[in-house]
Every structure is written in structure tokens, then in C-alpha cells.
Amino acid sequence: MTRRAGHAPRATGVWLRPALLAVVSTLLLSLVPPATPAAGAQAAERIEIAVSSVTPLMARESSPNELTISGTVHNTGDSTLRDLEMRLQRGKARATRASVVKALRDRAVTAEVRTRFESVATTLPPGARTEFELRVKLTGTDYRSLRIEAPGVYPLLLNVNGDLAQGQRARLGSTRFMLPVLSPPGGSPAAPSDPTPVTTLIPLVDYPRMIQQRLPGRPTILTDDRLAESLAPGGRLFGLVQAVSEEVPADEPLSRGLCFAVDPDLVVTAKTMAEGYRVRQDDGGTVRGTGSRAARDWLDKLRTVTEGRCVISLPYSDADVVALGRAGLPDLIEGALDGADAVSSELGVDVREDVLWPVDGALDEPAATQLANTAVDTVLMHPDSLARTDGSLRPVRLRTGDPDHTPTARLIDPLITDALNPVRARNAANSTRLSPSGTPPPR
């Protein structure tokens, strides 16, 4: 259950702001295979549909009243297909995260509206591909319109029919995706009646690499020099900090919803690298490290982008508090959560010690109980690690073995996090099932 350093940053949230919906719609597309053949053994393997673009990815009042879908159709069978036609079908709007996830997982019904079939190709020989571009109206009442009248996330089905043989017409293939609509084109902007603020977490974490810390007469020694590559321009950690610096300035509204989750071990290691270090070799010797300048520049940039922003401390070296809890090691849990001062001192910012983001967003009762002697009163959790199935992302109190210790669980949104790393959801679900206490958290 170690959080791997190479994974993409994880985003959490409940209400999707307009600025994030384009990202979400792209992820919704990524959750669906390029082609989802229709039921039926005969037609299932004859065609593949690859959608290359959907414009707009998100509809709003200022969008043109037209949805354009482009891509290719590939004949994967061994016979020529004839008179291929395509149409778009939509289902009912989804208004909650849980209903969107259910629509994606359960192949939502898309019989609410069907547009007219449009010609794709007269013939398509075996192995051949043909490009397509389908245009339909978003609003309106005619046969080329999806007849969208209200905000929501709409399940869509792109359906291709054709002739398998003379007189034998069938659905050859289909593919599904979702279309977020903030408001119908030409309408008035529609904001959520009671929006829940979003927090996007930026995890700054790496593998522990320091095997000897600087002492009088003893240099800092690292296991390898890969962290130098990550901290330098073009590296993963450099890119995370640079992206926030360039794309989300401190005066942007979105900036208020960012929070950096920092591993104290990473900050301490970067600091010692900036002061000069050596790297262990296979023969047991050491060579001078190459990343002092990169570490110094990265820390300077990190100080700048975290100034005045939310910062939480991850467990030191990304320790697995669930494993420590199951082993009955409360002292090690307390030690792992004692890195906030190191982060605060090096970055010159206030660091929240009351928030814990455990590995995979998972926590079980032994670990939660042993948090009673720490400052933690809020835990960021994956919904699948809770023993409830209502699909809500509302905060809940957690039941622990200590009746006086009931921390609040604030749930991360799996719609985005699972798209970035599907393994995380399985880890959360398979490792823990912590029960809510039934007592609502304070507002």
C-alpha cells in the first residue's frame, strides 16, 4: 500500500467548478473504451469506433448550438460492410456524482432522444478505416437535435448500423461517453443552488533515498541520483510545482481551492541535496551528487507557490499508518505524523497538522483508534474504504475503538482519482471498511 512516486497527482472534490469540468469531461471519456460493441455475437467483432474529438467537451450558455464528434470507423471483420449509418442517442441527465458513476459503470439507457441516421460510408472492406464527422444540435426540437433543456451530465451513445449481407441490417458497433452541460446554449448561466467547495490536492512525495544525513565530518549520502532528475526542469516534481506557478497564480479564484500535501522526508532530502551530497555506488563507494542546484531552485520555487496557501504534511516517508496500526505501533504512528515542523521551518508557511491523507485514502479501526493521541481530527478518505454504499460524499464522523475519538472523514472524489489510478480504488476497497459513527461532523 505504498503511494508510488511516479503516479499522477490526485485531485479531490465534490462540486465540479466550471474550470475543472473540461478536465472531468476528458476523464469521463477516458473511463470508456474506444469502442463498446453492441450486444450480439455476430456484430460484436465487426467494427471499432475510435472517437478522436468531441466539441464542445462541456456545453455552456455561450457554446454554439452544435455538438461535433469526429473519429474513425474500422472494419475488423472478414467481409465487406455496406451502407454504414451513424446516429447519436442520449439518456436522462445525471445531477449527482453517484449517478454519473453509475451511468458509466452500468451502461446507462440512452433511449430518451435519438437523432436521425447520417451516412458514414457506402462500403467498408475488411481491415479498412473511414473517417467520420457527425454534427447534431444540442437544443431544438427537430430530428437532428439532442433536445437538451437543462443542466446536467448526459450519457450519450454513438451507434453505427450497416448491412452484414443482403437484407441483413444490424447494429455493428457503438461507443459511449458523457457530455457535461452547465447550461443549454443560448440560455442563462445556471449555478448550483448549494455548491460544495472543491479542494485539489497536489501531492509532493518521492521514494525515501537518504541513507546517511549530514553530520560533522560525514556527508549526506543518497541511494541514487534519480531525485535530482525529478527536481530539475522536465522532471515530475519540477513540473508539479511549475504548473501551479504558471497556471494558477495566487490571485486566481481557483488558487483558494489548492492544497499541497508534502512529504517531510522529501523536503528534508532536497534541503540536504542543496547543501551538497554524495551518491552510493554499486561497489560501495560514493560520487558527488549532481542535483544541488536543481534542489536549491526547486525549494525556492516551492516556497513561492506555497506562500499563503494550504499545506498539509503527509506521514514522514509516506509511512503506511494502517500497517503500523495493525502492528500495534502507536509510537511509530506518532513519529510518522511528526514532520509538519520540518516542512513549516523549511518552507516558511503554516502547515496543518490536523489533516491526515493516508495511503490510498484508506484507514481501518486499529489505525484510527491510535490517532487519538495525535493532532489529527480530519482524515481524507476514499469512499470505498467506508462501510457504506449510499454514494454520498458528505463528511462523516468515524467510529473508532475510542468512544472519545471520532475524527471526521472528508471524502475524495473517486470519479477523477480512479481515472488517474484505478489500482487505488481496489486497494482502498480491499484493505479497510471503517464504519461511520452516525454522528454528523460539525459545520
Side-chain angles (χ1 to χ4, degrees), residues 174-231:
S174 62
T175 188
R176 297 170 181 268
F177 56 97
M178 310 291 282
L179 178 67
V181 177
L182 291 182
S183 62
S188 300
S193 58
D194 186 21
T196 301
V198 169
T199 296
T200 301
L201 293 173
I202 309 296
L204 299 177
V205 59
D206 191 68
Y207 294 108
R209 302 185 189 275
M210 188 159 51
I211 55 178
Q212 177 176 293
Q213 193 166 3
R214 178 189 298 275
L215 293 172
R218 297 175 55 189
T220 296
I221 300 178
L222 304 187
T223 58
D224 56 60
D225 216 10
R226 294 177 184 173
L227 182 54
E229 300 174 6
S230 187
L231 297 176

Side-chain angles (χ1 to χ4, degrees), residues 373-439:
N373 294 324
T374 71
V376 173
D377 61 18
T378 299
V379 184
L380 308 179
M381 296 185 65
H382 193 291
D384 288 348
S385 66
L386 286 177
R388 74 176 194 185
T389 58
D390 63 0
S392 169
L393 292 180
R394 292 188 301 272
V396 295
R397 289 284 198 185
L398 297 176
R399 180 181 293 115
T400 74
D402 182 345
D404 296 325
H405 178 60
T406 56
T408 297
R410 297 195 177 272
L411 305 185
I412 62 178
D413 190 340
L415 186 63
I416 299 178
T417 54
D418 293 354
L420 293 172
N421 181 12
V423 174
R424 181 183 306 111
R426 292 196 294 271
N427 287 345
N430 293 337
S431 61
T432 64
R433 282 289 182 178
L434 195 57
S435 299
S437 68
T439 304

Side-chain angles (χ1 to χ4, degrees), residues 41-360:
Q42 187 179 24
E45 299 180 357
R46 291 189 175 272
I47 193 172
E48 288 182 354
I49 306 171
V51 175
S52 58
S53 69
V54 178
T55 306
L57 280 172
M58 172 186 63
R60 62 177 76 210
E61 69 281 355
S62 59
S63 300
N65 189 29
E66 186 175 67
L67 180 69
T68 303
I69 305 169
S70 303
T72 60
V73 175
H74 177 206
N75 183 354
T76 59
D78 55 7
S79 61
T80 297
L81 303 175
R82 303 181 185 280
D83 297 328
L84 274 68
E85 296 180 318
M86 174 182 292
R87 75 177 178 190
L88 198 60
Q89 302 175 198
R90 79 156 173 87
K92 295 181 179 179
R94 269 54 177 180
T96 66
R97 183 207 62 85
S99 64
V100 170
V101 172
K102 181 175 175 60
L104 286 166
R105 292 176 177 174
D106 298 346
R107 298 171 61 89
V109 174
T110 53
E112 194 75 8
V113 173
R114 297 181 177 92
T115 66
R116 183 184 69 178
F117 276 107
E118 305 286 348
S119 177
V120 176
T122 303
T123 61
L124 192 64
R129 289 179 168 84
T130 185
E131 296 183 349
F132 70 85
E133 184 179 86
L134 180 66
R135 295 174 180 268
V136 299
K137 295 180 180 179
L138 291 168
T139 65
T141 58
D142 64 28
Y143 52 82
R144 295 189 63 242
S145 172
L146 291 175
R147 305 178 191 178
I148 291 175
E149 299 177 347
V153 180
Y154 289 84
L156 301 181
L157 173 74
L158 188 62
N159 170 27
V160 175
N161 283 9
D163 288 342
L164 298 174
Q166 187 173 4
Q168 186 182 359
R169 192 155 187 83
R171 176 184 289 185
L172 304 179
S174 62
T175 188
R176 297 170 181 268
F177 56 97
M178 310 291 282
L179 178 67
V181 177
L182 291 182
S183 62
S188 300
S193 58
D194 186 21
T196 301
V198 169
T199 296
T200 301
L201 293 173
I202 309 296
L204 299 177
V205 59
D206 191 68
Y207 294 108
R209 302 185 189 275
M210 188 159 51
I211 55 178
Q212 177 176 293
Q213 193 166 3
R214 178 189 298 275
L215 293 172
R218 297 175 55 189
T220 296
I221 300 178
L222 304 187
T223 58
D224 56 60
D225 216 10
R226 294 177 184 173
L227 182 54
E229 300 174 6
S230 187
L231 297 176
R236 178 183 61 85
L237 290 167
F238 177 91
L240 283 171
V241 176
Q242 183 74 6
V244 175
S245 176
E246 293 182 349
E247 303 298 334
V248 193
D251 57 352
E252 288 284 334
L254 187 60
S255 177
R256 295 193 295 270
L258 288 182
C259 191
F260 290 86
V262 183
D263 182 354
D265 178 75
L266 173 60
V267 170
V268 170
T269 302
K271 178 183 179 182
T272 59
M273 289 173 64
E275 297 169 347
Y277 67 104
R278 300 189 69 80
V279 178
R280 179 75 72 194
Q281 301 296 289
D282 292 339
D283 62 4
T286 64
V287 297
R288 183 185 300 275
T290 63
S292 293
R293 176 64 180 272
R296 185 162 54 251
D297 292 347
W298 184 79
L299 283 171
D300 287 342
K301 185 174 290 291
L302 183 59
R303 294 185 189 100
T304 300
V305 299
T306 56
E307 183 179 0
R309 284 173 160 150
C310 167
V311 178
I312 66 173
S313 176
L314 293 171
Y316 206 99
S317 297
D318 203 23
D320 188 341
V321 296
V322 170
L324 296 176
R326 290 175 178 175
L329 300 171
D331 290 344
L332 291 185
I333 291 179
E334 291 184 37
L337 302 182
D338 196 26
D341 287 346
V343 176
S344 178
S345 174
E346 185 58 33
L347 301 184
V349 297
D350 293 331
V351 177
R352 294 190 60 172
E353 300 180 67
D354 59 330
V355 180
L356 170 64
W357 188 11
V359 172
D360 297 322

